[in-house]
């Protein structure tokens, strides 16, 4: 065995030094990453890293919906492969095994090998392996015997396939592994086909589960299988917008939009796209593709492309919408035409309509609540409530009862008739939680359950009550730092941050004159700025951001004696240059952007590289230069 390990190390060193290799390209590239980027020592032992139960629970809670949906498929796949000595692992997008099925009589051997619940198979920790390399590449693959980087793993055979979320991001990895296998790698060909097929089924089942109240469109190239097991699946709302898809449908959309196969866009361009922009049919045509119509007549063509046999599944419970709204796209958000915020707002609006939770960052006064209200008013929920809650303003002893409500007599001082909580009052609409970083841990736990189960249990109540809400949260604090300090739940952060947007401070916006003109246009008498006043506003650092600008204009309009605001009409703080004429020292500059991107993506280097349009090697080099180290493997 030792001689085999030494020969393996020699091959690794040769492959890394001369840039060539005799392995599959995915394996060769992974070996080079391990040596050049991660600086892994091929001679060092790489024992299995198993997370603590508390840490594992955080990873499982963050993925609980998918685990629940995937469980049936996981068990069905295990029944097919267990007689061949395989175990089955479902890992999250960070490489941690959150679900596991194996032979309990071999628990000790499996745990020692890392084929166990809680094991961490990140490539930069474990080296080349099926789960980690699948995460790094987004590809299904087998890592067989000495394909593994670490000598401790060269007896294993592991085969994994990616499981993508409905928004096109990597959600999980499905893996089957065995402690022993025949030597030829071709022996794993069937394993690769099986795991890829079941990953596809899990994606499609997850899409159905997440969009039960929307149209689900199945597409198949063969009429015989159109109603049985679809190749492609899309979720479409009543306005005809695409809300989600499985990975095969995503690949079709990529081709139709001429996008690169592995685009670096943070969010997929297909989200929010109208169905009739891709296909020769609109949402109003979907009833023609239901089961009541013979399959041979359910032909749906891609615009300028191939044809499919379609099956449209009606919403389980059609949301209440007016007929006009089902045929018209949502109106643009109020900020959609803003020079600086327009692109961000349009993207956020599409994601919000698709049901993605949004986390909005930015300094105090940048307009986070106005941004959230703009998204709500432009959405299909505009007729329902928008409730804004400042978590920092609620007393810690009352925040749970305020948010979740309480039954009569639930605690000392409780309202005699009980109280309906803010979450229930937002039912059907939008809940905006400002300063979420100030929410106590006890309330964070309850909020996590609301988001995961879409139901709320008032304080003192025995039974939960269903709620249908969209959640937008905002903060000016570093939530990742609060997670490291144990003051904010990591699993809640992932729930809230389906997408993150940072509003720029006013001093970094190039549209100050246009913004000022818009703020003045709605005031009585339509006041205007003199050239001197406009120049003074441009010189000011605006530590209070848009909120300070609005206050300054309120002051100026009140004291101005005519339609023109002169220099002397501006507040003394703007004229004197005091009250914080320097930008806050906390504003991110230079390489802080990489640190912020890593924290935003929970230190997933592959995701950060896609976001920034960089090679992973470049991101790793910058991390080493700046001394940035992922906190994810601290136990």
């Amino acid at each position: 065995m030792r001689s085999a390990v030494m020969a393996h190390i020699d091959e690794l060193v040769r492959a890394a030094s001369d840039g060539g290799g005799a392995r599959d390209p995915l394996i060769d590239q992974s070996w080079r990453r391990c040596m050049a980027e991660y600086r892994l020592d091929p001679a060092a032992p790489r024992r299995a890293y198993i997370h603590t139960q508390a840490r594992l629970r955080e990873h499982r809670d963050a993925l609980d919906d998918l685990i629940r949906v995937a469980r049936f498929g996981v068990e069905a796949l295990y029944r097919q492969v267990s007689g061949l000595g395989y175990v089955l692992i479902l890992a999250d997008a960070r490489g941690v095994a959150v679900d596991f099925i194996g032979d309990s009589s071999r628990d000790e051997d499996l745990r020692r090998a890392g084929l166990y619940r809680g094991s961490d198979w990140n490539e930069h920790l474990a080296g080349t392996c099926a789960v980690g390399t699948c995460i790094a590449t987004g590809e299904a693959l087998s890592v067989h015997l000495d394909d593994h980087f670490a000598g401790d793993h060269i007896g294993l055979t592991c085969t994994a396939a990616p499981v993508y979320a409905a928004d096109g991001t990597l959600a999980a990895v499905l893996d089957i592994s065995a402690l022993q296998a025949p030597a030829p790698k071709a022996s794993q060909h069937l394993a690769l086909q099986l795991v890829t097929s079941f990953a596809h089924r899990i994606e499609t089942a997850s899409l159905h589960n997440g969009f039960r109240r929307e149209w689900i469109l199945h597409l198949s190239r063969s009429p015989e299988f159109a109603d049985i097991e679809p190749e492609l699946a899309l979720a479409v709302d009543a306005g005809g917008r695409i809300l989600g898809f499985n990975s095969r449908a995503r690949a079709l959309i990529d081709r139709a939009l001429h996008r690169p196969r592995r685009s670096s866009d943070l969010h997929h361009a297909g989200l929010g796209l109208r169905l009739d922009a891709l296909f020769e049919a609109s949402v109003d045509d979907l009833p023609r593709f239901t089961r009541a119509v013979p399959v041979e007549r359910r032909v749906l063509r891609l615009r300028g492309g191939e044809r499919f046999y379609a099956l449209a599944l009606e919403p389980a419970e059609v949301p209440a919408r007016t007929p006009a709204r089902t045929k018209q796209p949502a109106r643009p958000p109020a900020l959609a035409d803003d020079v600086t915020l327009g692109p961000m707002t349009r993207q956020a609006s599409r994601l919000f309509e698709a049901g993605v939770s949004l986390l909005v960052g930015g300094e105090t006064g940048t307009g986070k609540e106005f941004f959230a209200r703009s998204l709500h008013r432009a959405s299909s929920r505009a007729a329902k409530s928008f409730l804004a809650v400042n978590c920092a303003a609620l007393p810690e002893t009352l925040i749970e009862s305020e948010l979740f409500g309480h039954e009569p007599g639930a605690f000392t001082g409780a309202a005699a008739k009980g109280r309906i909580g803010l979450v229930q009052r937002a039912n059907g609409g939008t809940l905006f939680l400002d300063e979420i970083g100030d929410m106590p841990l006890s309330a964070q736990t309850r909020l996590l359950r609301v988001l995961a189960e879409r139901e709320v249990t008032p304080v003192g109540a025995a039974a939960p009550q269903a709620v249908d809400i969209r959640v937008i949260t905002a903060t000016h604090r570093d939530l990742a730092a609060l997670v490291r300090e144990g003051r904010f739940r990591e699993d809640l952060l992932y729930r809230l941050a389906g997408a993150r947007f940072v509003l720029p401070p006013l001093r970094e916006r190039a549209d100050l004159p246009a913004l000022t003109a818009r703020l003045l246009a709605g005031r009585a008498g339509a006041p205007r700025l003199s050239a001197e006043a406009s120049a003074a506003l441009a010189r000011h650092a605006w530590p209070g951001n848009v909120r300070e600008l609005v206050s300054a204009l309120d002051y100026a309009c009140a004291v101005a004696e005519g339609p023109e605001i002169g220099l002397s009409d501006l507040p003394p703080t703007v004229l004197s240059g005091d009250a914080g004429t320097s930008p806050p020292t906390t504003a991110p500059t230079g390489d802080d952007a990489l640190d912020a991107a890593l924290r935003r993506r929970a230190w997933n280097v592959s995701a950060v590289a896609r976001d920034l349009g960089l090679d992973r090697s470049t991101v790793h080099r910058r991390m080493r230069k700046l001394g940035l180290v992922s906190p994810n493997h601290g136990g």
Side-chain angles (χ1 to χ4, degrees):
M1 177 66 178
R2 180 173 176 77
S3 61
V5 171
M6 294 306 295
H8 178 60
I9 293 172
D10 289 341
E11 185 185 0
L12 284 168
V13 172
R14 285 196 306 273
S17 60
D18 62 20
R23 305 277 171 166
D24 295 342
L26 291 177
I27 303 300
D28 283 334
Q29 292 162 13
S30 175
W31 281 7
R32 288 195 289 274
R33 283 195 298 273
C34 292
M35 298 282 281
E37 297 180 28
Y38 311 143
R39 306 289 185 184
L40 299 182
D41 182 356
R46 302 224 156 261
R47 304 300 183 195
Y49 185 91
I50 308 289
H51 283 283
T52 63
Q53 284 300 311
R55 187 76 171 187
L56 172 60
R57 192 176 307 114
E58 292 177 3
H59 284 263
R60 285 181 57 84
D61 286 348
L63 204 67
D64 56 356
D65 285 344
L66 183 62
I67 293 172
R68 186 167 55 250
V69 170
R71 187 67 189 188
F72 178 80
V74 167
E75 292 175 347
L77 175 57
Y78 181 69
R79 286 194 294 271
Q80 295 194 32
V81 300
S82 60
L84 302 174
Y86 288 100
V87 299
L88 193 143
I89 289 172
L90 182 71
D92 65 12
R94 290 179 287 162
V96 177
V98 294
D99 204 4
F100 161 85
I101 306 178
D103 183 352
S104 58
S105 67
R106 305 197 66 184
D107 265 8
E108 192 57 40
D109 291 338
L110 295 172
R111 177 183 283 272
R112 191 180 304 112
L115 304 181
Y116 208 76
R117 185 181 293 106
S119 57
D120 194 320
W121 286 99
N122 258 297
E123 193 180 58
H124 70 266
L125 178 71
T128 304
C129 58
V131 170
T133 305
C134 179
I135 291 171
T137 64
E139 303 284 349
L141 78 164
S142 290
V143 179
H144 186 61
L145 303 180
D146 59 358
D147 282 342
H148 287 88
F149 180 87
D152 297 300
H153 302 151
I154 63 175
L156 306 178
T157 184
C158 307
T159 298
V163 178
Y164 286 95
D167 63 358
T169 59
L170 182 69
V173 173
L174 185 63
D175 171 272
I176 53 175
S177 297
L179 294 170
Q180 296 174 317
K185 188 170 183 175
S187 65
Q188 302 309 303
H189 180 71
L190 179 58
L192 183 61
Q193 300 304 311
L194 277 172
V195 77
T196 301
S197 174
F198 274 87
H200 167 70
R201 293 180 186 179
I202 291 171
E203 285 181 1
T204 305
S206 180
L207 183 76
H208 277 257
N209 183 68
F211 296 97
R212 290 188 294 266
R213 295 185 177 182
E214 311 293 348
W215 283 96
I216 300 292
L217 183 62
H218 289 177
L219 301 172
S220 299
R221 292 176 175 86
S222 167
E224 291 78 13
F225 290 92
D227 293 356
I228 301 172
E229 186 166 346
E231 297 174 54
L232 300 86
L234 303 164
V236 182
D237 72 4
R241 292 179 295 273
I242 296 174
L243 303 181
F245 30 65
N246 64 10
S247 58
R248 295 180 187 176
R250 183 200 64 203
L252 178 76
I253 294 172
D254 285 343
R255 292 196 300 273
L257 298 179
H258 306 292
R259 284 164 48 93
R261 186 164 177 266
R262 298 191 65 204
S263 171
S264 61
D265 292 350
L266 179 59
H267 302 291
H268 196 280
L271 292 176
L273 194 66
R274 289 180 62 89
L275 183 70
D276 53 12
L278 286 174
F279 297 94
E280 295 178 355
S282 70
V283 66
D284 296 325
D285 297 317
L286 290 183
R288 295 196 292 107
F289 300 99
T290 58
R291 291 186 192 275
V293 179
V295 66
E296 63 272 10
R297 291 168 49 194
R298 289 190 248 129
V299 175
L300 180 59
R301 293 184 180 277
L302 189 68
R303 290 197 177 276
E306 59 191 310
R307 74 176 198 169
F308 296 89
Y309 292 92
L311 172 63
L313 303 176
E314 295 179 284
E317 182 181 335
V318 179
R321 293 179 176 132
T322 64
R325 197 165 192 77
T326 63
K327 295 184 179 181
Q328 297 178 0
R331 53 206 163 113
L335 293 171
D337 295 326
D338 187 282
V339 174
T340 300
L341 299 182
M344 180 192 299
T345 304
R346 289 190 291 271
Q347 184 183 58
S349 182
R350 288 160 52 196
L351 290 163
F352 177 75
E353 190 67 32
V356 177
S357 295
L358 307 183
L359 175 61
V360 184
E363 295 174 10
T364 298
T366 49
K368 295 185 284 293
E369 182 176 339
F370 183 79
F371 182 77
R373 284 186 184 275
S374 174
L375 300 179
H376 171 78
R377 288 170 180 164
S379 76
S380 58
R381 294 173 173 255
K384 298 292 185 177
S385 298
F386 176 93
L387 285 182
V389 182
N390 187 330
C391 298
L394 290 175
E396 184 170 344
T397 54
L398 296 179
I399 191 169
E400 288 193 51
S401 63
E402 289 290 330
L403 280 177
F404 311 116
H406 65 79
E407 294 290 283
F411 53 87
T412 302
K417 296 183 179 180
R419 180 189 295 274
I420 297 176
L422 295 170
V423 171
Q424 288 172 283
R425 286 171 56 194
N427 191 32
T430 302
L431 181 66
F432 174 66
L433 298 175
D434 198 8
E435 301 302 349
I436 188 67
D438 292 293
M439 178 176 282
L441 280 169
S442 58
Q444 291 176 31
T445 301
R446 290 175 65 92
L447 178 60
L448 178 67
R449 300 316 306 167
V450 171
L451 299 177
E453 305 297 337
R454 296 294 167 178
E455 58 187 25
V456 61
T457 304
V459 177
Q465 300 172 24
V467 289
D468 171 25
I469 57 172
R470 292 280 196 273
V471 176
I472 303 176
T473 48
T475 184
H476 71 283
R477 306 182 66 179
D478 184 346
L479 294 185
L482 295 181
V483 169
R484 291 195 298 275
E485 296 165 9
R487 296 161 59 194
F488 200 86
R489 290 187 62 121
E490 186 176 28
D491 45 6
L492 178 59
L493 175 58
Y494 296 132
R495 281 278 180 194
L496 297 175
R500 306 189 190 199
F501 296 90
V502 178
L503 301 185
L506 186 55
R507 63 184 172 276
E508 294 180 5
R509 293 178 59 168
D511 62 340
L512 178 61
L515 174 61
T516 304
R518 286 200 301 274
L519 292 174
L520 289 173
R523 297 169 185 263
R528 62 184 183 276
L529 290 170
S530 70
E532 295 82 3
S534 182
L537 295 183
R539 288 193 300 269
H540 189 57
W542 301 110
N545 292 296
V546 178
R547 184 181 298 133
E548 184 188 2
L549 174 62
V550 172
S551 296
L553 295 178
D554 288 342
Y555 179 100
C557 289
V559 302
E561 295 182 354
E564 183 174 84
I565 295 172
L567 186 63
S568 61
D569 298 323
L570 297 178
T573 53
V574 174
L575 293 175
S576 65
D578 57 12
T581 55
S582 303
T585 57
T586 55
T589 58
D591 288 317
D592 289 345
L594 177 60
D595 187 23
L598 287 163
R599 296 178 191 281
R600 185 171 62 250
R601 281 295 203 165
W603 297 84
N604 184 323
V605 174
S606 297
V608 170
R610 290 194 296 270
D611 294 350
L612 301 179
L614 301 173
D615 291 332
R616 296 175 74 259
S617 58
T618 302
V619 176
H620 279 291
R621 280 197 301 272
R622 292 186 183 177
M623 287 175 65
R624 289 195 296 271
K625 177 183 175 183
L626 298 171
L628 299 175
V629 180
S630 168
N632 291 340
H633 304 296

